[in-house]
Amino acid sequence: MTNKNMFKVLTTATILAMAVMPLAVSAQDTTSVSNKDGQALIQKQERIVLGTMGQITNLVNDKTGKFITVTGRGLATTDQSEIVLSITKDTKIVDSKGKRVPLKTIMDEKKVIKAFYGPMLTKSIPARGTALTLVVQDQSFTAINGTVSELTDTGIVVHGKDIYSAFEDTVVLHFADKTQILDQNGKVIKASEIQKGMSVKAFYGPAVTMSLPPQSTTNYVVVNTTMEESVQETNPGTDGIITNVADNKFTVIGSPMEQGGIDYVILTADEKTEIVDEDGKSLTLDALKADVRVDAYYGPVMTMIFPAQTHADKIVVKATETNKVEGTIVASDDLTEGQVYVKMGSSQSPYKDVILNITKDTKVISMFGGAAELKAGMKVTAYHSPMMTKSLPGITNAEIVVITHDESIVAPK
């Protein structure tokens, strides 16, 4: 066998080995060093490989590079359930047999992948890293984030939202013979420990019945066993975005919860505030950062000033990324009804400018109170949909628009 053929065999074997890794693994590098007598020694170094299995839910390919978002579950309980990965010239994208697969095919066909990456990750939500290998799986799955509404002899009934489509659904899940059931801290628990009302994240498929409700088999379930959902069911709250953080106070702007709440509130977080991710895993105050999406719950008593201020009882930090623009609204003849033109900086080029569609679902908030009608000359911070046209300027739907400066209003001291 020639050296060239031997190299091909070794390369394929390495890829296939990564394709079947069930959990985070360690690879060993060797480095030569010398002792005091000049004799060569071999020093072993550990290199950890982490992994996430799921679907690619977002792709960014611009002058900054190519990035994908993988949403699903960690291959080990300590790995990321959602992560943004940089795709480089060294990233291998293959199927289980080592054959290269185009990234476009994976996204178009909604293929499930195992994404492997190194331990050097950012502390952002979601974390960011560099993709080493993407391995396309032979079978697909989906997942639901929701609440156990019923217990059955063979599994559970879950009502919630599909993590990929965001559609609300109810599904009957039957436990497979070797279903892995974990609590919010990654500890293995028994099916008998699941109770009605607990929140779960369950992966199921690929086979799903056409019945109502649909039925499927699950082999991986994460259960929040704390049973503190009553806070979310009864306390007022805001479904929104953290727009500012100062010490232990943070500003949340968004939509009130069904059970009550306000759209603009300053919350104080302390050791009594419960801070968790969407799977119920405990987080620290460091997770409360500007531009992070949250469900914030608080009591009915708050200050009678604008904006209202109160104590945060519970904060659920969401993994969904935000898309933000900051600029000045200017007049334009190119707009249709319900649109505003946001100029980014002083340049006359439309390259960075954005046209915002103001829909019935758009939340418009003035930091100064009173009417919140958008006019030319106002400075705004706008959070918008990740979907944007490729036109110049780009057009997208505004989710939240915050008026940060208005010459017709004197800011309160």
Side-chain angles (χ1 to χ4, degrees):
M1 181 181 291
T2 65
N3 289 337
K4 183 176 182 181
N5 290 336
M6 176 66 76
F7 177 77
K8 288 183 177 179
V9 170
L10 291 174
T11 301
T12 302
T14 301
I15 292 173
L16 291 177
M18 293 189 71
V20 298
M21 284 189 290
L23 299 173
V25 299
S26 298
Q28 289 187 341
D29 290 334
T30 57
T31 302
S32 295
V33 296
S34 299
N35 61 14
K36 63 182 181 180
D37 297 323
Q39 295 176 326
L41 301 174
I42 300 297
Q43 177 177 306
K44 293 184 178 180
Q45 297 177 330
E46 293 285 331
R47 184 178 71 247
I48 304 299
V49 178
L50 312 177
T52 299
M53 183 164 66
Q55 293 184 26
I56 298 176
T57 53
N58 191 40
L59 169 66
V60 175
N61 188 8
D62 55 25
K63 63 181 180 180
T64 64
K66 182 183 291 188
F67 304 88
I68 62 170
T69 301
V70 181
T71 304
R73 66 176 181 86
L75 294 183
T77 57
T78 54
D79 292 346
Q80 305 293 313
S81 59
E82 183 169 58
I83 187 165
V84 178
L85 294 173
S86 170
I87 303 297
T88 71
K89 61 181 179 60
D90 297 321
T91 302
K92 302 293 188 298
I93 306 177
V94 297
D95 61 17
S96 59
K97 297 180 180 179
K99 183 179 179 181
R100 291 188 178 275
V101 181
L103 189 60
K104 185 176 185 302
T105 299
I106 297 174
M107 298 193 65
D108 289 346
E109 298 181 8
K110 294 182 172 26
K111 296 283 191 179
V112 170
I113 64 170
K114 284 184 180 179
F116 297 96
Y117 44 92
M120 299 299 292
L121 304 176
T122 66
K123 294 184 179 180
S124 59
I125 299 176
R128 290 175 172 265
T130 300
L132 303 176
T133 306
L134 307 181
V135 183
V136 181
Q137 303 301 291
D138 294 330
Q139 288 190 322
S140 62
F141 60 68
T142 189
I144 187 170
N145 252 331
T147 303
V148 177
S149 58
E150 185 179 344
L151 302 174
T152 69
D153 293 337
T154 59
I156 54 178
V157 180
V158 180
H159 178 76
K161 289 185 177 180
D162 187 291
I163 69 169
Y164 299 118
S165 68
F167 291 149
E168 194 163 316
D169 201 0
T170 296
V171 60
V172 179
L173 298 176
H174 303 282
F175 294 135
D177 291 339
K178 296 183 179 180
T179 297
Q180 189 172 6
I181 305 176
L182 309 173
D183 68 8
Q184 66 275 13
N185 298 313
K187 178 184 176 182
V188 175
I189 63 174
K190 297 178 180 179
S192 58
E193 297 180 57
I194 301 176
Q195 299 178 30
K196 184 177 179 180
M198 288 182 173
S199 60
V200 299
K201 183 178 184 180
F203 293 81
Y204 62 93
V208 180
T209 68
M210 298 296 290
S211 58
L212 289 175
Q215 300 187 38
S216 188
T217 300
T218 178
N219 57 21
Y220 191 92
V221 182
V222 179
V223 185
N224 182 3
T225 60
T226 58
M227 287 294 288
E228 294 189 11
E229 295 304 306
S230 57
V231 171
Q232 297 177 212
E233 293 173 357
T234 60
N235 278 28
T238 303
D239 173 5
I241 296 172
I242 297 176
T243 59
N244 184 62
V245 177
D247 297 326
N248 63 334
K249 292 187 176 182
F250 57 101
T251 302
V252 178
I253 295 178
S255 300
M257 299 291 187
E258 291 183 4
Q259 65 270 23
I262 55 179
D263 51 20
Y264 182 13
V265 63
I266 295 178
L267 297 172
T268 300
D270 54 26
E271 66 278 359
K272 296 181 180 179
T273 303
E274 181 186 4
I275 306 172
V276 297
D277 64 14
E278 292 175 287
D279 295 329
K281 184 178 180 180
S282 296
L283 302 174
T284 66
L285 280 170
D286 293 337
L288 303 182
K289 301 177 181 179
D291 304 333
V292 170
R293 293 182 183 270
V294 296
D295 283 340
Y297 300 90
Y298 38 85
V301 179
M302 56 186 64
T303 61
M304 299 298 291
I305 60 175
F306 181 86
Q309 299 187 29
T310 187
H311 176 265
D313 292 333
K314 183 174 182 177
I315 305 295
V316 180
V317 179
K318 300 180 180 180
T320 308
E321 284 191 285
T322 55
N323 300 273
K324 183 177 75 170
V325 295
E326 295 178 296
T328 303
I329 297 177
V330 298
S332 174
D333 296 331
D334 298 329
L335 302 179
T336 61
E337 185 177 357
Q339 291 184 327
V340 294
Y341 192 115
V342 179
K343 168 66 68 176
M344 309 285 284
S346 58
S347 172
Q348 297 302 311
S349 170
Y351 180 75
K352 293 184 178 181
D353 298 345
V354 173
I355 293 177
L356 298 175
N357 292 325
I358 309 301
T359 72
K360 62 181 180 62
D361 297 322
T362 303
K363 179 68 65 174
V364 181
I365 298 289
S366 171
M367 293 185 66
F368 314 106
E373 182 182 355
L374 298 174
K375 300 177 181 178
M378 288 179 171
K379 291 183 179 180
V380 297
T381 297
Y383 297 90
H384 59 84
S385 165
M387 305 299 294
M388 182 180 294
T389 66
K390 294 184 179 180
S391 58
L392 288 177
I395 303 173
T396 185
N397 290 338
E399 298 177 1
I400 298 173
V401 180
V402 183
I403 301 172
T404 58
H405 178 76
D406 184 353
E407 292 182 349
S408 65
I409 298 177
V410 177
K413 295 183 180 181

